[in-house]
Amino acid sequence: MAVRMTALLSILSVLLCAACPSGPVPDADAPISSARLQAVVEKYLEDRTEILGTVVRVRVEGTGSYEAASGFTDLSRANPVEPDTRFVIGSVTKLFTAVLVLQSVERGQVRLDDPIREHLPPEWSAILAGIDGADAITVDQALSHRSGIADVTNSEPFERSLYTDATIRWEPLDILKMTPSQAGEGIRPGERFGYSNTNYILLGALIEHVTGLSYRQALQRNILDRIGLENTFLIDESLGSRDDAIARGYSRIGGVPRDGRGVHVAWAQAAGGIVSTAGDLVAFDTALASGELFDDPSTYRRMCQRVGYNESYGRGVEIVDDPEVGLYYGHRGNFMGTRSILAHFPADGITVVVSQTYDGFSMSHPAELMKRIVHGIRGEAPAAPSEPAMEGPEILADVSGAISNPDSPSNGAWDFAPREEWSVDRLGGRPLGMVGALRVDDDGGLYVLDRASGTIDVLDPDGALRLSFGGFGDGPRLESPVDLFVTPGRVHVLDIGRSGDKIKTYDKSGSWVATTAVEAG
């Protein structure tokens, strides 16, 4: 997917011209421009009325930066979004937090293999000691989401309570106090990936303890002032506590739109409490990739190394090798009806930031628009969706009987807040974790792959749980399931683990049938 810079410069004038709306078209001989970018954004938004406001910023190394904006800052639709409109960036905050932690590593204040409890205030360490297995969590495991600690913020009831109870004033320590014991879950530090905002709430406390500064002060001194970001700040009260114009996203609870202006969000802090602009995020990524934020340039490379086998996360960085657009580093974020993505493509020198607000739930994600923009910059037509090519027995060669849900969030969404609104948030008494795939059977049954528990849950057309199977373990059980396919009489799970990539096949009752080893084609 890599494109030589010389070739890139020669095709920058092509930015999805076929997708441009009717009317005046920018000069066909011009390089990528903000006008062309605006045309792509407007075309993309034509049928997506649930997206309230959108801002895009693109930087192409060696050519410049480009911007586009569309929509409004709130439901009044009286205030248009501008390129410098501020958005809550949710889990993109984790990039900033990881930088602060790794700066402390460079200064010799912390080592990655240290137990994180050694660098926490006494009250924090005492609570951590009471959570089964958490006393052994290392700094590196928290950075890479391999701690095994639970995430109380990743649930629909948690978000609903924030919107509906104006008296809630949680602080980061309160989130740790609410974190349940992991006893009986079979999850131990370092065993496997499990996205949890609690990891970064812990890292925020670590930053304060080792620097002697508040998280806000550490952020300001060691990142914002260091590289001159003037439109980025931490929200430590409610969104409405600032006079700054911040784009407002909405969740619909009982059919009533609820915005986050009055929600107290101090608890989010190092996990998702930063507000920024698309321009500041591009500048931050540029400084990060160039090594400007570290004393040793190799520290950034360390951030971008996958931790664990075949996972898509480094140290505060999502590492996505997308079959449509190739390898990129960055993060996605979701908070209070606002979603963002920062994506840096090292092979092309392209950085894209997309921030959007929504009026209620939407299956659309900023990553969709990001991919369309990258394809246009490269002069490519968007790739048609396809299954990955594999060597080995073609047990899925005939997929004529397979039915999949085209609206499923196939990449999941490691976001700060809940991604979907479900009629249930627990399946068989177990919290619904990271949804890795949704597939619909020919009888209307719904197969849900929960990557957080390694479980396949089967629901009938009315949403009632029929059965659950899978789970983490050896043999017929699963190591790291990433996708599933449903064919007549069979369920096939793509399982990526330490023992190699394989497809595990089950019958419709959940009984294991066969395991087939596969290799990338």
Side-chain angles (χ1 to χ4, degrees), residues 447 469 484-486 489-493 504-508:
Y447 288 74
F469 61 94
L484 64 82
F485 309 87
V486 179
R490 294 288 186 266
V491 181
H492 312 276
V493 182
K504 293 184 176 177
T505 299
Y506 304 82
D507 64 22
K508 292 298 180 68

Side-chain angles (χ1 to χ4, degrees), residues 267-286:
W267 55 270
Q269 193 163 282
I274 289 179
V275 169
S276 189
T277 63
D280 264 17
L281 288 181
V282 167
F284 168 72
D285 178 75
T286 301

Side-chain angles (χ1 to χ4, degrees), residues 27 144-145 209 234 271 273 292 306 308-309 321 364 381 419 519:
D27 182 1
S144 58
H145 292 294
H209 192 62
L234 182 73
E292 189 177 345
R306 286 183 175 87
Y309 181 84
D321 196 356
S364 298
R419 278 77 65 186
E519 297 178 358

